[in-house]
Structure formats: structure tokens, C-alpha cells
Amino acid sequence: MERNLTCIVCPMGCSLKVELDGGEVKSVSGNTCPRGEVYARTECTNPMRTVTSTVRCSDGTVVAVKTDKPIPKDKVFDCMKAINNANPDLPIKIGCVIIDKIYGAKVIATQNAE
Amino acid sequence: MTDLVIIGGGPAGMSAAIAAYESGIRDILILERDVKLGGILQQCIHNGFGLHKFGEELTGPEYAWRYEEKVREYGILFKTGTMVLDITKDKIITATNEEDGIFTIQAKAIILAMGCRERSKGALNIAGSRPAGIFSAGTAQKFVNMKGYMPGKSVVILGSGDIGLIMARRMTLEGAEVKAVCELMPYSGGLARNIEQCLNDFNIPLKLSHTVVEIHGKERLEGVTIAQVDENRKPIDSTREFIACDTLLLSVGLIPENELTKAAEVELDRITNGAVVDQDRQTEKEGIFACGNVLHVHDLVDFVSEEAEIAGKSAASYIKSGTQNDMNAVIKTDGKIRYSVPQRITTKKDITVYFRVSDVFKNVKINVYKDGEQIYSKKKIKVAPGEMESIKLAGEKLDDAKELYLELEVL
Ligand SMILES: Cc1cc2nc3c(=O)[nH]c(=O)nc-3n(C[C@H](O)[C@H](O)[C@H](O)COP(=O)(O)OP(=O)(O)OC[C@H]3O[C@@H](n4cnc5c(N)ncnc54)[C@H](O)[C@@H]3O)c2cc1C
Ligand code: SF4
């Protein structure tokens, strides 16, 4: 089987072609760099996404956050629920942890707030 | 007298300030009307910034912070909450803030870095009423990402530029239903990766060659009628389709914010809507430079930073030793190439010319002619209006040039 993908790792957005045999990736073509092949392999077996969003702090301030690494794609909405339930206190420094453990990642602040 | 005044504290303003500092200028002042530095990046909380520049994927605020940290480390002065009202061609700046009231500064050099704003919805030609629930995509982005307020629950987006695509995902993640993204053109103006991760991930339909033809609802938006368009972009009546929604986001493009540039009597390019500049990003008004989205709309902030570094370095050299021009050539484009930045060359050195094309073309050659003689050619598999292209020209090839002509040859 063949699957066509768009690499989302960088703005080049290369069109990738993946040869699949059952669930197994046989070959990847169309990638400009090695990151494209890695992406195609995970995308066909266990797709992952980084989540970026915001949390509302206890005083009402809105602060931007992200998962520090990609999480399974089918867990994105569960992760959003956890983010929307978080209610951290100020001050918040860029990089500080908002949620400790979520699907193998952490949710960290990407903005400062005093 | 201040050596260098920079108008706008977004990524362009900050990069320019840092580059000028690193070139030996110490008397620098950044004026920013917002309460903090960072510009539009503060509301761009998605990631995808900085791959070029830092080799990592950063969110907008993180990218901005890298520069703000440097600005603070160098002790470069900045005034936030300060709106610049006027600039004269003699480089007198009038600005206002709560603390100082209205004040003026005489600068040796000025860098314009005011960014861009969204095209207003007034410019849109859609039949029907104007109920609440119609926003520009950037305004919606500000509501959701900075105020934590959702503008609506069921959404149609007109325009498939990156901001529209990013907002389709953002509103979906926050629980809204995005019913369709309509694009007038037969291709999307956004990056392929954003179509993939912002629309396809959530099964949001992208309707190419479609537009909104009617708006329904009295107080609040109740729905829109969309239709397919023919090759002359005229809606086809038989394809009209009603979509119920309470929110319509318009992502119809950005234009450089050039009121101040006009006030300083700087010549503007009719296509970019930004200043006409040379390879140093100097306008034809000596000592006034421009960079970033105020000069031409960039899709990637990395290129904004790169351009701003050129402006910062050049302003530093101007402050120290004035302008040293040794040639004067104009760059012209063939129409398939819509515009170039810079538009002029005044010094013989290696330069990068940035440009955009008017349509999607496959298998092309980019040719450059110096006064009729070909000096450069490069093949490309595909070019598209949504993606800024660039070519590098060697200084030694520019000898005595009067005109450089950029041509897109379709093979
Ligand atoms: C919604 C959106 C999404 C984007 N997504 C991406 C992406 O995924 N990846 C990527 O690489 N790039 C992205 N970009 C592009 C990138 O963010 C911009 O190209 C970049 O921020 C432009 O920087 P700038 O400094 O020129 O302008 P801005 O960031 O707009 O900064 C201009 C600053 O000037 C200030 N200013 C204006 N007028 C005055 C005045 N009269 N007095 C004082 N201050 C003034 C403004 O307040 C502002 O802070 C996106 C852009 C937008 C709008
Ligand atoms: S394959 Fe490499 S160059 Fe192409 S989009 Fe992916 S990361 Fe970018």
C-alpha cells in the first residue's frame, strides 16, 4: 500500500510517499532531509502532535503554554481538557512547568507573566 | 539627539536593535505602542518559529523572548506603551505615552519596524447584513490567545492564509466546530504543513475556488451562503449552499502599516505597500531604514530577523560614517515576479533579493539580466504566491549596472 503525506516538521512542507506493507513502513521518498523520514515513520505507526494552548491563571491572566514534546495525536483533546483545568498562580516564568506529567510530556509556559 | 531610534518593538525592531548594538552603537531607543515587546508574536502561541534561525521549533512568544532577553542583557533602552505619532524627513520623531506626555526626539538614524495590519472587512464585498460575529482572523487570535475569550461556537473561515488555518485549529481545540475554510483562489495561500496539521488533522474541509456570497442574521450571525466561483472568480449561482454558523473569520491578507512612512515622505512601492529600499534596507531618505512586515509581508519570522539584522548593521554604519554609495541600479520585475526587495542597489556587494510570484508555476527558471545581459539563472520545481523566494547575486557581477531585470521563465 502507498500513503501520501505532507511533512509538517518544517515550513518546506515536502510531499512524502510512504510504501507500507501491512502496518510496516517499507520505504519513504520525497523528503528533503532525514527528519522527513522519521516523521513519515511515526505518522504511519503512532502519529504525534505538540499541543500549544493557553491557561488561565488564578488572577485571570492568560498565559501561553505548550507540551514540551509531542504526545499521541488521539490524546490531544484529553490534553486540552487538562490544560483548561489548570489554574496556576503568578508569577510565571517562561519554561516553568504547569502540568507535570501528561502522556509522557510536560506542559510548560511559553510566556512570562507577573 | 539620539543615534538610533527604532519604531516598533516586534521581532524586526528587536533584531535591528541588537544588530546595531553589536556593530558598536550604544545610544539606541526602541519605541513600542503595546505594553510589552514582541509584536504580533505575543498572540502567535502556536509553534513553528525559529527553525531556520535557531534550529528548534519555538512558539511565537518564545521566539520573541530570545530577542527580548538580548535587548535586556545589552541594556538597550526601550519605552513600551509609547505610540509614535509622526516622523519628519529630517528624522524628528513625535511620540506620546502616559509618563512623558507628548515628546519629540531628533534621531541620527531611524529604523521603521511597525509591522503590518489586517485588511479590514469593509473592503469585502459581501451581500447581506452585518450582524455581530464577524471578525478578522487576527482579532479572533488576540481574543482567544491573549484574553482567553472564544468569539463563537460554530465557525466558517474565509481565506486560507496561515492565520486562518492556524485559527481553524485553535478554535477546534477550544471546542468550536469549524465547518469550512473557503478560499477564493484555486490554491491555498497558506503553508502545506498548516493545511495538513490545522485542517486535515480535524477533517475540516478546505473549499478551494469558493467564497462567501451572503451573510445572514440580524443581531448575531446565523449563517453564511457560500458558492463556488468560476475562472473569473464570479460566483456560480447553482452552487450556492447555506452553512449555519455564529462566527465568520476573515483571513484576507495583511498590509504593511505605513502611515508614518508616508509622513516622512518616503517613497512607497505600489505592489508591496512598503518603502522602496536599497540592499541595506535604506529608503531614499538618507538615514531612514525599514525592515520586517512594514517593508513587505513575510510568512516566516526568521526572514524578518535576517532582514532586520541587515537594517541594524547598515544603520550603525550610516551613523558612524554616513552613506557610501558607489552605484545606482534599479531592480525591475516581469509581472510574473510581482515585486522584489530590495528595489534598488546602491553599493556593489553580494546581495540576496527576495521576491514573490503572482501565481502558482511549475518547472520554472529564474533569470536575472543586467542591462540586457543574463548574469544569473536558477531552476525551481515550483513557485507559489504564498511562499517568499530568494536568490543570491554576487557583487562582482553587478559592475556599473543601471538596471537588473528579474524574469520568471516557465519551461
Ligand atoms: C497571525 C500570524 C501568524 C503567523 N505565524 C507564523 C508562523 O507560524 N511562523 C513564522 O515564522 N511566522 C509567522 N508569522 C509571521 C511573523 O510573525 C511576522 O512576520 C513577524 O512577527 C513580523 O515582525 P515585525 O517586527 O515586522 O512586525 P510586528 O510583530 O507586527 O511588530 C511591529 C510592532 O510595531 C509596533 N508599532 C506599530 N506602529 C507603531 C507606532 N506608531 N508606534 C509605536 N509602535 C508601533 C506594534 O505595536 C508591534 O509591536 C505570523 C504572523 C501573523 C500575523
Ligand atoms: S522533509 Fe525535511 S525539509 Fe522537508 S518538510 Fe520535512 S523536515 Fe522540512
Side-chain angles (χ1 to χ4, degrees):
Chain A
M1 206 185 74
E2 209 179 84
R3 214 177 133 185
N4 292 311
L5 297 173
T6 302
C7 181
I8 61 168
V9 179
C10 92
M12 288 269 290
C14 299
S15 305
L16 309 178
K17 201 173 264 175
V18 189
E19 281 302 333
L20 286 162
D21 189 1
E24 214 181 308
V25 176
K26 286 279 164 220
S27 70
V28 179
S29 57
N31 52 313
T32 307
C33 80
R35 287 181 301 175
E37 175 161 352
V38 175
Y39 170 76
R41 285 180 184 276
T42 34
E43 188 66 10
C44 291
T45 49
N46 177 27
M48 306 284 275
R49 295 289 183 269
T50 298
V51 178
T52 60
S53 187
T54 52
V55 288
R56 194 178 280 284
C57 303
S58 48
D59 80 318
T61 312
V62 176
V63 176
V65 299
K66 69 173 183 187
T67 55
D68 66 343
K69 47 175 153 334
I71 62 162
K73 189 174 155 186
D74 58 0
K75 300 290 185 235
V76 165
F77 281 99
D78 292 336
C79 179
M80 278 299 296
K81 259 188 218 138
I83 289 174
N84 282 337
N85 285 331
N87 192 228
D89 295 322
L90 295 184
I92 287 179
K93 273 208 87 75
I94 203 162
C96 79
V97 176
I98 305 288
I99 300 174
D100 219 9
K101 241 166 92 193
I102 188 146
Y103 305 112
K106 291 187 179 70
V107 173
I108 59 170
T110 56
Q111 229 164 15
N112 294 308
E114 279 157 22
Chain B
M1 178 80 105
T2 303
D3 276 353
L4 177 59
V5 177
I6 297 170
I7 324 262
M14 290 195 286
S15 307
I18 292 163
Y21 184 94
E22 287 173 352
S23 307
I25 303 300
R26 292 291 173 267
D27 186 15
I28 305 172
L29 175 64
I30 303 174
L31 300 175
E32 167 58 52
R33 74 175 162 205
D34 209 335
V35 292
K36 44 182 178 180
L37 294 175
I40 199 83
L41 289 181
Q42 293 293 7
Q43 69 182 64
C44 301
I45 62 158
H46 57 282
N47 59 358
F49 300 83
L51 270 164
H52 218 78
K53 202 87 202 153
F54 299 110
E56 343 172 17
E57 246 203 326
L58 302 172
T59 64
E62 290 173 306
Y63 186 94
W65 180 243
R66 297 262 164 128
Y67 287 88
E68 186 174 339
E69 265 185 318
K70 265 261 153 75
V71 166
R72 289 176 185 272
E73 180 194 322
Y74 289 164
I76 295 171
L77 287 182
F78 59 88
K79 280 182 193 283
T80 51
T82 304
M83 169 93 178
V84 176
L85 303 171
D86 186 46
I87 307 173
T88 68
K89 59 180 190 298
D90 308 313
K91 302 188 278 277
I92 298 168
I93 296 149
T94 308
T96 176
N97 63 24
E98 260 178 37
E99 212 174 296
D100 310 313
I102 292 187
F103 58 96
T104 61
I105 308 169
Q106 169 77 62
K108 274 194 199 147
I110 294 177
I111 298 178
L112 305 170
M114 292 91 76
C116 59
R117 59 180 152 74
E118 288 183 289
R119 278 181 208 279
S120 73
K121 56 188 176 198
L124 278 176
N125 233 334
I126 307 177
S129 51
R130 289 290 179 270
I134 307 174
F135 305 89
S136 74
T139 305
Q141 188 179 46
K142 196 164 188 173
F143 277 161
V144 180
N145 293 348
M146 300 189 71
K147 306 219 157 50
Y149 160 80
M150 279 286 281
K153 286 204 171 69
S154 54
V155 188
V156 169
I157 299 177
L158 176 60
S160 66
D162 287 314
I163 315 177
L165 300 178
I166 295 281
M167 281 314 289
R169 174 177 62 184
R170 184 72 187 116
M171 294 201 56
T172 306
L173 285 178
E174 291 292 358
E177 185 192 358
V178 178
K179 295 196 164 170
V181 175
C182 295
E183 169 60 57
L184 183 66
M185 304 303 283
Y187 51 83
S188 165
L191 294 172
R193 70 191 302 238
N194 285 338
I195 294 174
E196 185 68 20
Q197 62 185 349
C198 299
L199 301 187
N200 298 351
D201 269 10
F202 305 101
N203 301 314
I204 299 169
L206 171 59
K207 291 178 171 288
L208 297 174
S209 298
H210 273 73
T211 191
V212 171
V213 288
E214 202 174 331
I215 288 169
H216 308 271
K218 283 205 183 70
E219 316 247 292
R220 177 76 199 198
L221 183 68
E222 284 160 17
V224 295
T225 301
I226 67 166
Q228 200 178 333
V229 297
D230 63 19
E231 57 278 12
N232 299 318
R233 296 185 217 158
K234 286 264 173 316
I236 306 167
D237 266 348
S238 60
T239 64
R240 285 170 71 101
E241 177 192 345
F242 176 80
I243 305 180
C245 61
D246 64 14
T247 305
L248 173 65
L249 297 190
L250 306 169
S251 173
V252 287
L254 302 164
I255 31 175
E257 176 127 356
N258 270 304
E259 281 64 32
L260 293 175
T261 319
K262 282 180 209 153
E265 297 170 39
V266 166
E267 183 191 351
L268 294 184
D269 182 314
R270 295 222 319 278
I271 310 241
T272 60
N273 287 303
V276 171
V277 291
D278 67 10
Q279 72 292 330
D280 296 334
R281 304 301 183 269
Q282 181 163 213
T283 68
E284 45 38 290
K285 292 277 174 297
E286 238 186 58
I288 302 183
F289 298 77
C291 58
N293 276 356
V294 77
L295 188 53
H296 57 138
V297 176
H298 296 65
D299 341 276
L300 289 181
V301 71
D302 308 61
F303 294 132
V304 169
S305 299
E306 236 167 68
E307 178 168 88
E309 279 163 31
I310 298 177
K313 270 186 211 151
S314 315
S317 128
Y318 170 81
I319 291 163
K320 286 190 249 172
S321 44
T323 306
Q324 276 144 4
N325 293 346
D326 58 12
M327 61 182 283
N328 191 7
V330 291
I331 304 181
K332 295 208 166 143
T333 57
D334 69 346
K336 288 205 231 32
I337 296 178
R338 287 184 60 227
Y339 73 80
S340 76
V341 168
Q343 295 90 340
R344 303 187 307 142
I345 305 176
T346 56
T347 314
K348 195 179 128 185
K349 61 176 163 193
D350 296 353
I351 61 164
T352 305
V353 180
Y354 295 90
F355 61 90
R356 271 184 205 274
V357 296
S358 61
D359 205 339
V360 176
F361 297 101
K362 289 193 173 145
N363 292 316
V364 297
K365 247 180 171 174
I366 290 141
N367 300 320
V368 181
Y369 300 87
K370 181 189 110 181
D371 301 316
E373 171 206 349
Q374 186 164 350
I375 57 163
Y376 179 94
S377 181
K378 176 171 109 174
K379 274 196 185 159
K380 293 247 1 168
I381 296 168
K382 188 184 156 200
V383 289
E387 275 156 59
M388 199 162 71
E389 301 287 339
S390 69
I391 53 168
K392 285 188 164 46
L393 297 178
E396 66 211 33
K397 296 221 166 133
L398 302 176
D399 247 346
D400 298 324
K402 289 277 167 286
E403 179 188 295
L404 294 183
Y405 186 71
L406 261 59
E407 174 195 68
L408 185 88
E409 183 187 350
V410 183
L411 300 173

